[in-house]
Amino acid sequence: MKTLFRNFLLIIIACGIFTACQDNRKKEKKESTIKPNIVFIYMDDLGYGDVSAYGAKDIQTPNIDKLADGGVRFTDGHSSSATCTPSRYALLTGVYPWRNKDAKILPATAPLLIDTMQLTLPKMLQEKGYYTGIVGKWHLGLGSGHTNWNQRVTPGPNEVGFDYSYIMAATQDRVPTVYIENSLVVGLDLNDPIEVDYVNNFEGEPTGKDNPELVTMKWHHGHNNSIVNGVPRIGFMKGGNSAKWSDVDMADHFLFKAKQYVINHKNGPFFLYYAMQQPHVPRTPHPRFVGKTGLGPRGDVIAEADWCIGEFINTLEKEGLLENTLIVFTSDNGPVLNDGYYDDAVEKLGNHNPNGILRGGKYSLYEAGTRVPFITYWKGKIEPQVSDALVCQIDLLSSLASLVGSVKKAKDSEVLLDVFTGKNQQGRDELIIEASTKTALRKGKWLMIPPYNGVAKNTQVNIELGNSKEYQLYDLNEDIAQQNNLAKKNPEKLDEMLSVFNIICGKK
Ligand code: NG6
Ligand code: CA
């Protein structure tokens, strides 16, 4: 009798546990159905004025415009820095790049910049059940300092939160000019090992400097080391011939990988960081885009990128994913014309202004350095609108955490989910912007740049950097082009800005 009773009890307990498990699984399933896929379409050096939805007349970007017209088009959206590595560091970690002394434009041989123990956006999403991937430009360092490109190149994206990675190590103008999939160089023949050096050339290897007869794209400044596909690069490389990418096919190649990723993970939820290489130098449009815009290769690669974005969105649509995918479109920093090659970007510019109405450009503390096209799109969920809210890419980590039910918050990343989804337009109160480790404060519509040594203008790239011996204070409401320095006329405002700046940046 006793045993019968005990068995009966055991059965009841087992049933209880089984039902609880079922309930939990149901809950998880229910929870996962409200988690949208998340895609970042991240451009390289695309300017505020380079998109027709932002006023460009001589370049048409119909596919980006569709996102802008159907989502939130931010007029005051910023990257965290006016150059790539620091900007991407902040995007993925939610930490201001000036807090990390190594967050500068990196050679491909630099060690991984993100601490593998650090919170990252993809790690946060992984914890919430997302499959996470990156396709495209990395430029955040790889390995521990002595990279052997013929073995696993690690740690890298897979160690900081990406389940899948298909990347170029640094930039299109830096060696090694190969793709790396989940830490292995794609198509490498170990009988022809890759060697990379950013200081010394390998004996007998031609360079842009010494062998101008071998180049098909002429260098203007820098970019005179190893020649690959007729393009002289930054850094020296030897071997790895079978693994070298084809520059003109790069856009199609990354697009194919991005589409494949979506199709493979369509049961989601997935996160994809689609980090496109355009319109960074060297600008190498596929032949079918050559001459499309009349603005030379820079215009043509923007048209090419826009086409890729259209194709990518078609894939989401075909797979029935568009209503369940939040897309963030933006750029890592502002525009530059001559960034080291003679490629007609200056000569064929015509009336196009990559900055739009803004002053400065890539490398600059003026507005065009970090104010970039910034769009959020989620079909059926985001009400189309133009938003003047001040937002920064650094805010995506904490904001998306709140979207997917994560309690994670990164140091400098504000929760602005309602702003990103167009439910309100109350953005940040203040933001520290950065250019080559120099910082400035945005507060409300005011911008304050403290005095900095250094040239006012980088004449090689023909961009004003924001350096001045004087304080600079601009009222962006009245003076978006930053023509009237009000520092002397409005000392109270300057003092107020300075004290906030000192508190945030921890300086006296
Ligand atoms: C600079 C390069 C520039 C570009 C930039 C990185 C020279 C003279 N200039 O050092 O061409 O590669 O680094 O651009 O080498 S970024 O968008 O990745 O920050
Ligand atoms: Ca860039």
Side-chain angles (χ1 to χ4, degrees):
M1 193 62 191
K2 238 185 177 172
T3 352
L4 204 69
F5 181 68
R6 206 191 57 201
N7 287 349
F8 178 69
L9 256 183
L10 281 177
I11 291 171
I12 298 273
I13 292 169
C15 282
I17 293 172
F18 179 72
T19 325
C21 285
Q22 287 289 84
D23 276 359
N24 255 345
R25 218 169 304 154
K26 257 192 231 152
K27 234 202 274 149
E28 262 171 39
K29 208 163 172 208
K30 202 168 149 220
E31 217 184 23
S32 77
T33 55
I34 58 161
K35 283 180 193 157
N37 306 309
I38 299 170
V39 173
F40 289 178
I41 302 177
Y42 206 61
M43 306 292 297
D44 195 358
D45 298 0
L46 186 76
Y48 193 78
D50 277 326
V51 173
S52 33
Y54 280 80
K57 298 268 182 301
D58 299 322
I59 295 182
Q60 291 308 308
T61 52
N63 295 298
I64 302 170
D65 294 1
K66 261 190 225 157
L67 297 177
D69 296 342
V72 185
R73 181 172 74 80
F74 290 96
T75 61
D76 201 0
H78 290 255
S79 59
S80 306
S81 168
T83 57
C84 170
T85 301
S87 200
R88 285 160 204 255
Y89 174 80
L91 174 78
L92 293 184
T93 64
V95 176
Y96 277 133
W98 43 268
R99 296 195 194 279
N100 184 334
K101 64 170 180 28
D102 297 323
K104 296 179 253 185
I105 297 173
L106 295 176
T109 45
L112 179 65
L113 181 63
I114 301 173
D115 190 321
T116 53
M117 299 309 284
Q118 204 173 336
L119 169 67
T120 64
L121 193 147
K123 267 192 198 168
M124 177 278 290
L125 291 173
Q126 271 179 338
E127 280 170 18
K128 284 287 149 186
Y130 276 74
Y131 191 83
T132 58
I134 169 172
V135 171
K137 174 174 175 175
W138 177 241
H139 209 187
L140 286 165
L142 289 169
S144 316
H146 306 281
T147 307
N148 180 344
W149 302 91
N150 307 291
Q151 297 172 353
R152 277 196 173 281
V153 181
T154 180
N158 297 80
E159 284 66 42
V160 295
F162 289 101
D163 293 306
Y164 176 75
S165 62
Y166 195 96
I167 57 167
M168 67 163 127
T171 57
Q172 202 186 332
D173 53 353
R174 283 175 172 75
V175 300
T177 50
V178 296
Y179 298 120
I180 302 170
E181 184 170 35
N182 291 327
S183 76
L184 286 173
V185 171
V186 178
L188 179 66
D189 173 2
L190 288 176
N191 294 319
D192 178 28
I194 298 180
E195 289 176 80
V196 173
D197 194 317
Y198 272 72
V199 181
N200 300 308
N201 192 15
F202 300 96
E203 218 185 304
E205 294 294 310
T207 64
K209 192 159 177 243
D210 297 333
N211 304 84
E213 73 285 0
L214 298 180
V215 311
T216 50
M217 194 185 287
K218 231 176 114 188
W219 59 276
H220 175 273
H221 56 277
H223 306 97
N224 58 17
N225 302 155
S226 290
I227 304 165
V228 183
N229 305 332
V231 181
R233 317 271 168 163
I234 304 172
F236 303 99
M237 172 181 179
K238 191 181 168 194
N241 263 317
S242 60
K244 285 179 183 164
W245 67 47
S246 155
D247 290 276
V248 294
D249 293 313
M250 183 176 281
D252 285 338
H253 193 69
F254 281 146
L255 171 64
F256 174 74
K257 293 289 169 190
K259 280 160 96 170
Q260 207 177 38
Y261 176 87
V262 164
I263 292 165
N264 289 345
H265 302 287
K266 61 180 170 191
N267 294 329
F270 64 78
F271 167 61
L272 174 63
Y273 173 27
Y274 180 15
M276 301 174 78
Q277 86 282 11
Q278 303 106 324
H280 195 283
V281 295
R283 295 152 185 145
T284 53
H286 187 273
R288 69 189 191 280
F289 291 96
V290 172
K292 270 269 162 190
T293 60
L295 301 183
R298 185 172 187 279
D300 295 346
V301 296
I302 294 175
E304 177 189 66
D306 183 74
W307 177 84
C308 291
I309 291 166
E311 291 297 297
F312 179 75
I313 293 167
N314 282 346
T315 303
L316 289 174
E317 196 154 32
K318 254 192 252 146
E319 298 298 334
L321 297 170
L322 208 49
E323 281 83 0
N324 191 32
T325 303
L326 167 63
I327 300 173
V328 179
F329 170 85
T330 188
S331 172
D332 69 340
N333 53 251
V336 55
L337 293 173
N338 180 342
D339 206 12
Y341 296 100
Y342 290 95
D343 68 356
D344 278 350
V346 175
E347 292 76 3
K348 293 197 171 158
L349 188 62
N351 293 322
H352 178 62
N353 186 351
N355 292 358
I357 44 177
L358 309 176
R359 183 174 180 183
K362 182 176 179 177
Y363 309 108
S364 174
L365 276 174
Y366 290 125
E367 282 300 282
T370 61
R371 195 187 290 220
V372 286
F374 199 137
I375 299 163
T376 52
Y377 176 93
W378 186 354
K379 193 174 178 192
K381 291 285 195 317
I382 288 184
E383 200 58 41
Q385 64 198 271
V386 175
S387 173
D388 295 334
L390 174 62
V391 294
C392 179
Q393 291 161 11
I394 204 167
D395 301 320
L396 288 164
L397 199 164
S398 297
S399 303
L400 293 176
S402 129
L403 173 70
V404 303
S406 163
V407 293
K408 292 279 159 64
K409 247 193 116 276
K411 190 175 175 75
D412 301 309
S413 178
E414 292 191 9
V415 179
L416 298 176
L417 181 61
D418 283 353
V419 185
F420 287 128
T421 52
K423 295 202 180 86
N424 80 52
Q425 299 200 352
Q426 284 295 308
R428 280 178 160 262
D429 291 332
E430 58 228 357
L431 173 70
I432 300 290
I433 59 169
E434 190 254 13
S436 309
T437 73
K438 293 168 179 166
T439 47
L441 172 71
R442 226 352 249 289
K443 186 166 163 38
K445 282 293 170 182
W446 293 89
L447 178 89
M448 188 277 298
I449 309 178
Y452 285 116
N453 291 328
V455 293
K457 190 177 200 171
N458 176 334
T459 50
Q460 285 183 320
V461 293
N462 194 25
I463 290 174
E464 289 182 291
L465 301 177
N467 298 326
S468 164
K469 289 195 176 63
E470 319 245 301
Y471 279 98
Q472 295 180 73
L473 180 69
Y474 299 100
D475 174 356
L476 301 178
N477 249 355
E478 299 294 322
D479 177 26
I480 186 74
Q482 301 180 291
Q483 296 301 304
N484 302 310
N485 180 2
L486 300 176
K488 287 204 174 107
K489 281 196 199 131
N490 198 340
E492 298 83 31
K493 193 68 190 175
L494 179 63
D495 275 356
E496 181 196 323
M497 296 289 284
L498 202 54
S499 65
V500 176
F501 178 76
N502 285 337
I503 290 168
I504 304 179
C505 293
K507 292 171 197 158
K508 270 262 147 319

